[in-house]
Amino acid sequence: MSTLTLGKAMNEGLRKAMENDPKVLMMGEDVGKLGGVFRITDGLQKDFGEERVIDTPLAESGIVGTAIGLALRGYRPVCEIQFDGFVFPAADQIITQLAKMRMRSLGALSLPVVIRIPCGGGIGAVEHHSESPEAYFTHTAGLRVVACSNPADAYSMIQQSIASPDPVIFFEPKRRYWEKAEVDVESTDWAPLHEARVVQPGEHVTVLAYGPSVKTCLEAAAAAAEEGRSLEVIDLRSLNPLDIGTVVGSVERTGRCVVVHEAPVFNGFGAELAARITEKCFYRLESPVLRVGGFSTPYPPSRNEDHYLPDLDRILDAVDRTFAW
């Protein structure tokens, strides 16, 4: 076992994928000599060369478009979008080409492209650097969408995503990059990529989260336990496809559910979860599914982001409200 930060675990996972398959390439702005803004690709260009770790122009559409062409020629490109809000210039390539090619060719063509997106707030940055754009991509059929929340998952999930025959949007919680945990870098006995995980068993309320919100929900569970309430925290890990079976099994036991994410609540991914749970668990629910998230405003200046991001108090308030019905 090694103690790694989430960022270092990402680096080790990328390195392992490149060692195992010479067709794996890294592409992005400053991913080579600099090693990326968050140093996730640090040292990879030095060890694998400029032909496999490619510093690109500041042109996200060009990065993804080039990756699509490389994938059609048998390569497995991994694109880094420097910040979450920078992905939108590439939206046309992702939505109209990357997501559609396999269906358009009746399965004859596959595009094994991974698009890494550091996501979320909490680092004192501004709009375009602190977004949570997952709902745009979960709504796009043909894309797999996953979100890691801890170093062990970062290490395994990035390798599983690179090995996938389908395009994967890979969200990384940037404010968790420096948090440490043990990672077994020798093991390949990993949970399936699209399987949710119960990270905190509980009895009274199911709390669903992913990416940066998982740790916040675990902190809320610890605080709730002091008041005699047992929260079951589930890390969804995969947003599309969604492991709805794990979610339903938990909600049917607890009868209550709170969904937490940093994206705005209105039309956020939590709305899909609430609808699915209501449909499948209607007769077992003791209260409506409640959502905690960002507000329907552009991401605020950094001095105000603590008011915008879901915190322990807002999660516990939602838990309290589920018992008021």
Side-chain angles (χ1 to χ4, degrees), residues 31-280:
V31 299
K33 290 181 174 62
L34 182 64
V37 170
F38 296 103
R39 303 300 187 267
I40 304 303
T41 54
D42 188 39
L44 297 183
Q45 188 180 78
K46 172 179 173 291
D47 294 338
F48 295 99
E50 296 184 9
E51 292 185 351
R52 292 188 65 193
V53 183
I54 305 161
D55 280 317
T56 68
L58 305 182
E60 285 75 18
S61 181
I63 293 169
V64 176
T66 302
I68 290 171
L70 286 165
L72 289 171
R73 298 292 293 177
Y75 292 92
R76 291 182 174 271
V78 180
C79 305
E80 178 181 294
I81 303 299
Q82 201 169 69
F83 283 92
D84 32 45
F86 297 176
V87 73
F88 300 113
D92 182 40
Q93 296 284 3
I94 295 170
I95 293 168
T96 65
Q97 300 297 332
L98 188 63
K100 306 294 193 294
M101 190 68 73
R102 191 164 195 174
M103 177 69 76
R104 185 183 300 154
S105 66
L106 300 179
L109 299 174
S110 64
L111 293 178
V113 176
V114 175
I115 299 179
R116 296 180 39 241
I117 305 178
C119 69
I123 63 167
V126 294
E127 62 173 327
H128 307 313
H129 296 70
S130 303
E131 313 293 333
S132 300
E134 61 271 13
Y136 295 103
F137 300 110
T138 57
H139 184 68
T140 302
L143 299 174
R144 297 177 183 267
V145 182
V146 300
C148 64
S149 67
N150 60 77
D153 274 352
Y155 177 76
S156 62
M157 290 173 69
I158 190 61
Q159 294 182 66
Q160 292 169 300
S161 297
I162 293 170
S164 172
D166 296 312
V168 178
I169 308 297
F170 194 99
F171 285 105
E172 305 165 16
K174 66 171 78 77
R175 66 167 154 154
R176 308 300 184 198
Y177 273 145
W178 300 274
E179 295 178 1
K180 296 180 178 181
E182 288 193 339
V183 180
D184 188 349
V185 296
E186 302 300 327
S187 174
T188 57
D189 183 20
W190 303 323
L193 179 61
H194 300 295
E195 182 178 285
R197 177 182 295 125
V198 177
V199 292
Q200 175 66 57
E203 300 176 4
H204 300 147
V205 183
T206 298
V207 180
L208 304 178
Y210 51 89
S213 298
V214 173
K215 181 180 179 181
T216 311
C217 291
L218 288 172
E219 292 170 349
E226 296 179 1
E227 300 176 356
R229 285 181 176 163
S230 174
L231 308 189
E232 178 150 294
V233 180
I234 295 179
D235 181 354
L236 294 175
R237 301 176 73 246
S238 176
L239 309 186
N240 190 13
L242 176 66
D243 180 6
I244 193 65
T246 297
V247 173
V248 168
S250 176
V251 176
E252 285 184 339
R253 284 189 299 99
T254 64
R256 294 176 172 84
C257 183
V258 173
V259 181
V260 182
H261 54 59
E262 291 190 7
V265 167
F266 183 76
N267 272 349
F269 186 68
E272 174 65 22
L273 290 168
R276 291 278 192 99
I277 293 165
T278 301
E279 177 183 346
K280 294 181 177 295

